[in-house]
Amino acid sequence: MERIKCEIRRAGPADRGMLVLLAEETLHPLAEGAGHPERYHAADVVVLLDRAEVFVARCGEEPGGFVAVEADEDACTVRCICVSPGFEARGVANQLLDWVEGLAIERRLSRLVAYVPATDTPSLHLYKGHGFSSRPEDDEMLALEKRLPTAQD
């Protein structure tokens, strides 16, 4: 499929409804496909959107996806990457992850972190393609981490 160039910007209050709908359109089917529809709750998405920094990928006039991150003193944790089904396999997730990495480097954080279900092959492929290494977190999740260059390196 043809790659598409996206403009990535910080999400604003006017984006909230679109973000919730996009999460419903992408995350709910993933939970059902994994055999755990009970794991998706729209209320959890709302809490995440309130708590995290959220960036939207605009592909032309349409939302292509979003990423939600949280940072502490040394790490930026990717809490969620959602890509609209109409933009899957077109490089949107890669652009969002590149954006987050640039943000973390700009903030002089030393690592990127993500937690991914062990059965989520597309997400594991995405993160491994960006240089993340993995270790088991529990029976169902993997902890993924990428060390970032710092001013001391």
Side-chain angles (χ1 to χ4, degrees):
M1 197 166 268
E2 181 183 327
R3 299 273 186 210
I4 189 164
K5 178 72 176 137
C6 300
E7 173 191 328
I8 300 173
R9 62 168 175 76
R10 184 178 297 278
D15 295 312
R16 187 179 185 80
M18 175 272 299
L19 295 171
V20 171
L21 288 173
L22 183 56
E24 173 71 27
E25 183 179 35
T26 59
L27 300 177
H28 195 203
L30 284 174
E32 286 182 348
H36 295 286
E38 74 282 358
R39 290 187 179 163
Y40 175 81
H41 301 283
D44 292 341
V45 173
V46 171
V47 169
L48 176 65
L49 295 175
D50 287 341
R51 171 182 93 212
E53 286 185 271
V54 181
F55 300 93
V56 176
R58 296 288 302 180
C59 304
E61 295 300 313
E62 297 182 55
F66 73 88
V67 61
V69 300
E70 293 180 305
D72 59 26
E73 63 277 348
D74 79 323
C76 181
T77 301
V78 179
R79 295 293 179 195
C80 180
I81 292 182
C82 282
V83 175
S84 173
F87 291 100
E88 287 179 357
R90 298 188 68 190
V92 176
N94 284 300
Q95 291 174 69
L96 286 165
L97 199 49
D98 286 342
W99 175 268
V100 169
E101 184 171 341
L103 181 74
I105 290 170
E106 180 181 294
R107 293 179 179 179
R108 298 192 166 135
L109 301 174
S110 63
R111 1 178 239 126
L112 286 176
V113 177
Y115 298 93
V116 176
T119 58
D120 187 349
T121 304
S123 292
L124 293 172
H125 180 75
L126 170 70
Y127 286 106
K128 291 192 183 226
H130 281 262
F132 282 71
S133 58
S134 66
R135 64 175 166 71
E137 177 69 10
D138 58 33
D139 289 343
E140 297 178 6
M141 300 292 286
L142 295 176
L144 304 172
E145 181 175 298
K146 179 177 182 177
R147 290 285 199 200
L148 299 173
T150 60
Q152 300 92 345
D153 291 348

